[in-house]
Each structure stands twice: as C-alpha cells, then as structure tokens.
Amino acid sequence: MSALGIQLLGELSGCDKNLINDVEKVEQLMIQAAEKANTTIVKSVFHRFSPHGVSGVVVIQESHLAIHTWPEYGYASIDFFTCGDVSSPKIACEFLAEAFKAEQIEIKEVERGGIIKPETL
C-alpha cells in the first residue's frame, strides 16, 4: 500500500425512507457493516434529528464509518475511512446499500496519506 488508508464516499439514493429515519436500525446496520468489513469497533454514537434524519459514526480501530441521512429525499451519505490492509470498506458500503434498499449507489474512492514520502511508510 502506498497510502495510509482508503476513504470511500458513498451516495445512496432511493433508500427506504422509514428505514433511514430509524436511528436504532441505522446504528444496528452500521455496526453490522463495520463487522462485515472486518474492522474492530471502538464505540458508536448516533442521533435522530427532528423532524427527520439520522447522523452517526462508528469509531473503529482502523478509523471510522459515518452516515448522514435525509429521509425526505430517500438519501444517505456514507463515509468509510479505513487504514491498513485487513479491512474491506467496499463490502460495508455494498451491505448498507442493500440493507437500505438503495435504488442507486455511487462510490468514490480516495487514497489518504498519499503525500507522505514512500520511505516513511
């Protein structure tokens, strides 16, 4: 690996509006996504906004998995940042897209830490 980690930015549209507005279910699915990605969970924090929407993060030893939902649009934004070669953030993204019944998913991958000189990695 020439970078410190990989960050996946996911756009999920056409999601089940009730599902992505349920803070307990979103947290449960995010934890399952972290487990499926072979990461070590440290802690999770989630919040439901009024009148709708959920934001939360699962802090993992390898970095984090975060989500923000807009149920009124059937949209969820996910951000999965993992370091090392053991975890599989793409599996987590695909799991959530299926779990939220997303009609469309777009994932952008960004290498993080690429500006560090190779001899220091």
Side-chain angles (χ1 to χ4, degrees):
M1 178 191 311
S2 62
L4 295 177
I6 294 174
Q7 189 164 13
L8 299 182
L9 306 173
E11 308 273 334
L12 306 173
S13 63
C15 297
D16 180 309
K17 294 178 180 188
N18 293 319
L19 188 58
I20 63 171
N21 199 40
D22 182 334
V23 68
E24 290 86 10
K25 190 65 175 174
V26 170
E27 182 172 14
Q28 175 190 23
L29 290 170
M30 287 286 288
I31 289 170
Q32 287 178 343
E35 291 168 346
K36 288 184 179 296
N38 194 36
T39 64
T40 305
I41 298 169
V42 175
K43 185 175 186 171
S44 66
V45 177
F46 283 76
H47 176 77
R48 184 181 184 279
F49 294 96
S50 180
H52 38 65
V54 173
S55 287
V57 64
V58 178
V59 178
I60 57 176
Q61 255 182 328
E62 299 80 6
S63 195
H64 70 267
L65 285 73
I67 188 167
H68 305 285
T69 73
W70 286 263
E72 67 272 32
Y73 302 115
Y75 171 77
S77 170
I78 55 177
D79 171 6
F80 294 172
F81 182 15
T82 59
C83 300
D85 295 331
V86 178
S87 58
S88 304
K90 190 168 184 178
I91 289 172
C93 289
E94 292 168 352
F95 167 76
L96 279 184
E98 185 176 326
F100 291 142
K101 303 176 184 170
E103 294 173 0
Q104 185 175 353
I105 179 172
E106 196 173 305
I107 299 173
K108 296 176 185 167
E109 183 175 317
V110 179
E111 283 191 359
R112 303 303 305 264
I115 64 170
I116 297 172
K117 295 178 182 173
E119 63 271 10
T120 62
L121 291 179

